[in-house]
Amino acid sequence: MEIYYGNIAYSKSKTELVCHKNSYIVVDNGKVISIFDKLPVEYQKYQIIDYKDSIIIPAFSDLHVHAPQYPNRGIAMDELLYDWLNKYTFPLESKYKDPIFAKEVYEKFIEDLLRHGTMHASIYATIHNEATDILINLLEEKGIRSFVGKVNMDKDSPDYLIEDTLESIKNTEIFIKKHQNNLYAKPIITPRFAPTCSFELLKKLGELGKKYNCGTQTHIVESLWEREEAKKCYPGCTSDMRIYERADLINKPFIAGHFIFPSEEDIEILKKYDGYAVQCPNATVNVIAGIMRTGYLLDNDINLSYGSDISAGEYLGIYRGISDSIRLSKIKSFYENDDRSITFKEAFYIATKKSGEIFGNVGSFEEGYEFDALVINNMSDSFIDLSIEEMLERFCYLGETKDITHRYLRGKEIII
Amino acid sequence: MEIYYGNIAYSKSKTELVCHKNSYIVVDNGKVISIFDKLPVEYQKYQIIDYKDSIIIPAFSDLHVHAPQYPNRGIAMDELLYDWLNKYTFPLESKYKDPIFAKEVYEKFIEDLLRHGTMHASIYATIHNEATDILINLLEEKGIRSFVGKVNMDKDSPDYLIEDTLESIKNTEIFIKKHQNNLYAKPIITPRFAPTCSFELLKKLGELGKKYNCGTQTHIVESLWEREEAKKCYPGCTSDMRIYERADLINKPFIAGHFIFPSEEDIEILKKYDGYAVQCPNATVNVIAGIMRTGYLLDNDINLSYGSDISAGEYLGIYRGISDSIRLSKIKSFYENDDRSITFKEAFYIATKKSGEIFGNVGSFEEGYEFDALVINNMSDSFIDLSIEEMLERFCYLGETKDITHRYLRGKEIII
């Protein structure tokens, strides 16, 4: 039994941010029991970890991140998509045939992920099995709830980063079988996106998904180019989502990266299968792809989540994604009439409870949720009193890694 | 004579970023003498301060920042402009009738400005003389090259934050006379914006500008509302800039905050008087005002600069403004056909040399420039080699205050 004292905040729903000033959160065996303004007698015998005027919040989830692209974060950001992919991203991904390079990067990536307060993630690796094994094993050892995908790409890819169709399927099955019984880091089927995958590949991956009860992550309508190219590659399909439905590849969870230009059909199919759309706020702008209709999708009860999308995105902290997402919703509603701006409460909910639910009971402090938590500096100045919500908002707008002072994973402090 | 060793970078023009790997910068009496790849014999007797693989760059300039709004940075960011002004900004500004409050805030503000690597700034205070004296005196004592304005507003302002016209003029003259012989922190005439200033006020301020050789800063076409409101208040004027021209209030330097929706006439008048347009990248999006045509203005040889615009903007670091500005230019060119995206080289030039020139020879390391400099962490990982430009780009995309390890003002290290 552990008891933590401080200013406690978490989301209950998209309209409810629950804030407890100067309160106690009681955790048993890594799970939240309850929050008290005044500690009941029966708990007074336990030691209290006193975080004074700090804020205690649930850890963040990142639902779209390319771990192998970590070495390129924050560079070549003024390149256009084509050059960015061919001069930077694909050549870097091809280096992961070398397991020593992979291990060095993936260790640093995970450490930095935790430093930024992210404790759950859905991650793209590369086409290489050995390197992807290294990544998933590191996450499993650390007990990080995550999905990890060996990437599939068997067409329209560079010579040095392409697979034979049957080889790709075989290697995916080997990867899934090896890790299907993991407790924390689970395999997920990861076709890069429709334009780089043959229908034969997608169909066979669908069969693997059914056989091993394994979800799918991919990029869906991430740019106008991708949306049109996907339809061109799959003439019978009227939308990007239809391709995956036809391949019978929409297994749970289904994670649709970007989802910027969905047709009503895309939205309908995503909703039908209870899939998640992931906004990667600065990534999509860095590569000039456009802006997701976050307000519209929220109002239509689509599952929304955030991703850092390293290295199209540059910053691992999902808290900065919150403020970027609010800003983008304002731009979107300024330039187009198809959306509204979103609130801080909504964005914080998306980043914690909503994105977290895909991993189980994480991302909130309701009873029974795992205590995956961050202790954040108070963020106040001496000359003005902030509410807990304002402190939290300030953290999401101008916070830095130094402002995350402690990190807990299922009630155990992580030292990085 | 001081000699610093490291990776040295500075802008020479909007297309030239000069990078010297493993080099020496020789500084005499606070001014740059030269940069050498190999140290000439005559300098070898001096002590070398070795910053190893760090990057040494010119300090940043912030050309639009409201110091009194510092306590509200990063809160109420999902409010709309009207509520943001009336519930947060105006009530806070009214507190500066209290000099004790003012001193406490302004000391912290300046410390935080320096922490974020900004060493030159053009600053709005409030309508209050005593508080504005405190701000300008603090800056002068620290030797920070800056412009400071006592704000003028004599109409359409809240009861608790408005001046009588003659009082406003009298107090402005008192402020200017008191500080006109300052070495570093100089007065600048600061009408808030046209809708809150009578023509009588603007004209008399114009006379003061001529009498004391004092520049002007204000908000120009910062939103569609402001643009139309200004023209409504001044029926004879066909543009926002025309109002200031007619009041004979365009003295050097003229600093036009935001400049988001200029007509060709606005651009023409700004150019005629060699004025500066200031983009405040995230501020304008937080209050849904729109996006400046940075590429277009650059190509038309308008003087461009950056501002943090605390607290419509949330973050003091101009380096983050660089990446936000590039992103905004991409969005702008995606949604509208009136602009192009800008490059990292251009944005870094705007943030350093171009914004700096308003304060004298600062913002570059060419011969004779003042050594106002930042030492920045190398930003590389062990597994990939970055060029100096890439290190710098990464810093501007994901750098944090912890990455600024040392700060120099005219060759003297500042400890904060």
Side-chain angles (χ1 to χ4, degrees):
Chain A
M1 189 89 74
E2 298 100 34
I3 299 169
Y4 305 91
Y5 174 86
N7 293 311
I8 299 159
Y10 64 91
S11 288
K12 215 163 167 175
S13 70
K14 64 186 172 189
T15 54
E16 281 175 286
L17 178 72
V18 181
C19 296
H20 294 268
K21 206 171 163 65
N22 304 333
S23 294
Y24 303 84
I25 182 163
V26 178
V27 175
D28 188 20
N29 208 12
K31 286 185 179 163
V32 175
I33 300 290
S34 194
I35 297 170
F36 302 100
D37 294 351
K38 202 172 170 313
L39 198 63
V41 174
E42 67 261 39
Y43 296 117
Q44 294 186 356
K45 61 184 171 205
Y46 298 104
Q47 202 202 333
I48 294 163
I49 300 171
D50 182 359
Y51 284 122
K52 300 192 167 63
D53 64 356
S54 293
I55 333 166
I56 306 175
I57 61 168
F60 296 105
S61 298
D62 185 340
L63 259 70
H64 187 96
V65 55
H66 294 264
Q69 295 174 19
Y70 177 74
N72 276 354
R73 71 201 181 287
I75 64 169
M77 298 270 71
D78 62 359
E79 296 277 357
L80 299 182
L81 182 59
Y82 182 85
D83 288 333
W84 179 83
L85 279 172
N86 289 291
K87 278 163 54 184
Y88 290 84
T89 306
F90 289 150
L92 173 59
E93 286 202 15
S94 77
K95 283 187 166 191
Y96 290 78
K97 56 182 173 289
D98 172 7
I100 295 169
F101 180 75
K103 184 161 185 282
E104 200 185 342
V105 174
Y106 287 153
E107 278 176 347
K108 280 272 174 62
F109 164 75
I110 293 169
E111 185 189 308
D112 212 15
L113 194 73
L114 295 170
R115 179 180 298 116
H116 287 82
T118 298
M119 292 191 193
H120 330 102
S122 192
I123 308 172
Y124 287 60
T126 58
I127 58 173
H128 313 92
N129 272 51
E130 197 176 348
T132 310
D133 286 343
I134 290 168
L135 175 60
I136 198 167
N137 288 340
L138 286 167
L139 290 157
E140 178 69 10
E141 277 164 33
K142 289 187 186 294
I144 297 173
R145 293 201 185 278
S146 48
F147 295 105
V148 178
K150 173 215 136 15
V151 170
N152 304 97
M153 46 205 289
D154 71 339
K155 64 183 268 288
D156 289 326
S157 304
D159 292 346
Y160 57 83
L161 193 68
I162 192 166
E163 305 166 293
D164 168 76
T165 308
L166 295 179
E167 200 75 18
S168 179
I169 295 158
K170 193 186 84 186
N171 287 337
T172 303
E173 184 160 16
I174 291 172
F175 174 70
I176 295 173
K177 279 175 80 170
K178 194 180 276 183
H179 305 287
Q180 63 178 327
N181 295 320
N182 283 2
L183 277 176
Y184 305 106
K186 309 205 183 248
I188 190 166
I189 292 172
T190 306
R192 187 166 207 121
F193 59 176
T196 62
C197 297
S198 67
F199 192 59
E200 187 190 350
L201 175 59
L202 294 185
K203 269 191 65 172
K204 287 274 170 43
L205 291 175
E207 287 168 22
L208 288 183
K210 295 282 175 295
K211 183 171 173 188
Y212 294 101
N213 192 24
C214 193
T216 302
Q217 65 179 349
T218 189
H219 299 81
I220 299 286
V221 287
E222 70 163 326
S223 70
L224 292 171
W225 172 84
E226 188 269 334
R227 183 182 71 181
E228 297 313 310
E229 191 66 17
K231 285 193 281 192
K232 215 184 291 168
C233 296
Y234 289 89
C237 294
T238 43
S239 70
D240 213 350
M241 283 301 296
R242 184 70 77 204
I243 298 167
Y244 294 89
E245 189 182 50
R246 199 156 291 177
D248 206 6
L249 184 48
I250 312 188
N251 304 306
K252 279 199 175 184
F254 186 85
I255 307 177
H258 300 309
F259 210 67
I260 298 174
F261 301 102
S263 62
E264 284 306 314
E265 185 176 278
D266 284 307
I267 295 174
E268 207 175 274
I269 299 174
L270 190 75
K271 195 167 180 171
K272 177 175 162 196
Y273 293 92
D274 207 21
Y276 286 73
V278 194
Q279 189 189 30
C280 308
N282 57 38
T284 58
V285 180
N286 287 333
V287 297
I288 335 183
I291 301 175
M292 185 199 254
R293 296 166 72 183
T294 42
Y296 175 83
L297 293 173
L298 261 182
D299 294 341
N300 283 278
D301 293 319
I302 299 300
N303 299 315
L304 278 195
S305 56
Y306 290 133
S308 65
D309 196 16
I310 301 293
S311 71
E314 73 267 18
Y315 193 73
L316 271 172
I318 293 295
Y319 45 95
R320 199 182 285 176
I322 287 175
S323 49
D324 283 332
S325 175
I326 295 168
R327 257 195 287 275
L328 288 184
S329 74
K330 292 187 172 189
I331 296 176
K332 181 83 173 165
S333 63
F334 181 81
Y335 280 114
E336 297 186 299
N337 284 326
D338 65 352
D339 206 7
R340 64 167 176 89
S341 61
I342 64 170
T343 65
F344 174 71
K345 275 195 181 74
E346 289 171 331
F348 189 75
Y349 165 75
I350 292 171
T352 54
K353 187 171 178 187
K354 190 67 202 172
S355 294
E357 70 181 15
I358 211 164
F359 303 98
N361 277 343
V362 302
S364 182
F365 289 155
E366 288 158 276
E367 194 190 328
Y369 272 70
E370 297 188 352
F371 190 67
D372 294 350
L374 309 175
V375 181
I376 309 281
N377 275 331
N378 178 281
M379 306 301 291
S380 287
D381 307 307
S382 52
F383 35 77
I384 196 165
D385 279 329
L386 298 183
S387 68
I388 296 177
E389 182 174 341
E390 286 171 332
M391 294 173 197
L392 196 51
E393 185 184 2
R394 177 174 286 177
F395 169 68
C396 291
Y397 272 84
L398 53 84
E400 301 185 330
T401 47
K402 72 171 166 46
D403 296 310
I404 306 175
T405 58
H406 301 269
R407 296 156 184 84
Y408 287 88
L409 184 64
R410 287 188 297 287
K412 296 267 169 296
E413 187 167 3
I414 303 176
I415 307 297
I416 50 168
Chain B
M1 190 87 75
E2 299 100 34
I3 300 169
Y4 306 91
Y5 174 86
N7 293 311
I8 299 159
Y10 64 91
S11 286
K12 215 166 168 173
S13 70
K14 64 185 171 188
T15 54
E16 280 175 286
L17 178 72
V18 181
C19 296
H20 294 268
K21 206 171 164 63
N22 304 331
S23 294
Y24 304 85
I25 181 163
V26 178
V27 175
D28 189 20
N29 209 11
K31 288 188 177 160
V32 175
I33 300 290
S34 194
I35 296 170
F36 303 99
D37 295 351
K38 204 173 168 312
L39 198 64
V41 173
E42 66 262 40
Y43 295 118
Q44 293 186 357
K45 61 184 173 208
Y46 298 104
Q47 203 202 334
I48 295 164
I49 299 171
D50 182 359
Y51 285 121
K52 300 193 168 62
D53 64 357
S54 293
I55 333 167
I56 306 173
I57 60 168
F60 296 105
S61 298
D62 185 340
L63 259 69
H64 187 95
V65 57
H66 294 263
Q69 296 174 19
Y70 178 73
N72 277 353
R73 70 203 181 285
I75 65 169
M77 298 270 73
D78 61 0
E79 296 277 356
L80 298 183
L81 182 59
Y82 182 84
D83 288 333
W84 179 82
L85 278 172
N86 289 291
K87 280 163 52 183
Y88 291 85
T89 306
F90 289 150
L92 174 60
E93 286 201 15
S94 76
K95 285 186 164 192
Y96 289 80
K97 55 182 174 290
D98 174 6
I100 295 169
F101 180 76
K103 184 161 184 279
E104 200 185 342
V105 174
Y106 288 154
E107 278 176 347
K108 279 271 174 64
F109 164 76
I110 293 169
E111 185 190 308
D112 212 14
L113 194 72
L114 295 171
R115 179 179 299 114
H116 286 83
T118 298
M119 292 190 192
H120 331 101
S122 191
I123 307 173
Y124 288 59
T126 58
I127 58 174
H128 313 92
N129 272 52
E130 198 176 347
T132 310
D133 286 344
I134 289 168
L135 176 60
I136 198 169
N137 288 340
L138 285 168
L139 290 157
E140 178 69 10
E141 277 163 32
K142 289 187 185 294
I144 296 174
R145 293 200 185 279
S146 48
F147 295 105
V148 178
K150 174 216 136 14
V151 170
N152 304 97
M153 46 205 291
D154 70 339
K155 66 183 269 287
D156 290 325
S157 304
D159 291 347
Y160 57 83
L161 193 68
I162 192 166
E163 306 166 294
D164 166 79
T165 307
L166 295 179
E167 200 75 16
S168 179
I169 295 158
K170 193 186 83 186
N171 287 337
T172 303
E173 184 158 18
I174 292 172
F175 174 72
I176 295 174
K177 278 175 81 171
K178 193 180 275 182
H179 305 286
Q180 63 178 328
N181 296 321
N182 282 3
L183 279 177
Y184 305 107
K186 310 206 182 245
I188 188 164
I189 293 173
T190 306
R192 188 166 206 120
F193 58 176
T196 62
C197 297
S198 68
F199 192 58
E200 187 190 351
L201 176 60
L202 294 185
K203 268 191 66 175
K204 287 274 169 44
L205 291 176
E207 288 167 20
L208 289 182
K210 295 283 174 297
K211 186 171 172 190
Y212 295 101
N213 192 24
C214 194
T216 301
Q217 66 180 348
T218 189
H219 299 82
I220 300 285
V221 288
E222 69 163 324
S223 70
L224 291 171
W225 172 84
E226 189 269 334
R227 184 183 70 181
E228 297 314 310
E229 191 67 17
K231 283 192 282 191
K232 216 185 290 169
C233 297
Y234 291 88
C237 294
T238 42
S239 69
D240 213 352
M241 283 301 297
R242 185 70 77 202
I243 299 167
Y244 295 89
E245 189 181 49
R246 199 157 291 176
D248 206 6
L249 185 48
I250 311 187
N251 304 307
K252 282 197 176 186
F254 186 85
I255 307 177
H258 299 308
F259 211 67
I260 299 173
F261 301 103
S263 63
E264 284 305 314
E265 187 177 277
D266 284 307
I267 295 174
E268 207 175 89
I269 299 174
L270 190 76
K271 194 166 181 171
K272 177 175 163 195
Y273 293 93
D274 208 20
Y276 286 72
V278 193
Q279 188 189 32
C280 308
N282 56 40
T284 57
V285 180
N286 287 333
V287 296
I288 335 184
I291 302 174
M292 184 199 253
R293 296 167 72 183
T294 42
Y296 176 84
L297 293 173
L298 260 183
D299 293 341
N300 283 278
D301 293 320
I302 299 299
N303 299 316
L304 277 197
S305 57
Y306 290 133
S308 65
D309 195 17
I310 299 293
S311 69
E314 73 266 17
Y315 192 75
L316 272 172
I318 292 294
Y319 45 95
R320 200 182 284 176
I322 287 175
S323 49
D324 283 332
S325 175
I326 295 168
R327 256 196 287 275
L328 288 183
S329 73
K330 291 187 173 190
I331 296 176
K332 182 81 172 164
S333 63
F334 181 80
Y335 280 113
E336 297 186 300
N337 284 326
D338 65 353
D339 205 7
R340 65 166 175 88
S341 61
I342 62 170
T343 65
F344 175 72
K345 275 195 180 77
E346 288 171 333
F348 189 77
Y349 165 75
I350 293 170
T352 53
K353 188 172 179 186
K354 189 68 203 173
S355 294
E357 70 181 16
I358 211 164
F359 303 98
N361 277 342
V362 302
S364 181
F365 288 155
E366 289 157 274
E367 194 188 329
Y369 272 69
E370 296 187 353
F371 189 66
D372 295 350
L374 308 175
V375 181
I376 310 281
N377 275 331
N378 176 282
M379 306 300 290
S380 288
D381 307 305
S382 52
F383 35 75
I384 195 164
D385 279 330
L386 298 183
S387 68
I388 295 177
E389 182 174 342
E390 286 171 332
M391 293 174 199
L392 197 50
E393 185 183 4
R394 176 174 287 178
F395 169 67
C396 292
Y397 271 83
L398 53 84
E400 301 184 329
T401 47
K402 71 170 167 48
D403 296 311
I404 306 176
T405 59
H406 301 268
R407 297 154 182 84
Y408 286 88
L409 183 65
R410 287 186 297 285
K412 295 267 171 296
E413 186 165 7
I414 302 175
I415 307 298
I416 50 168

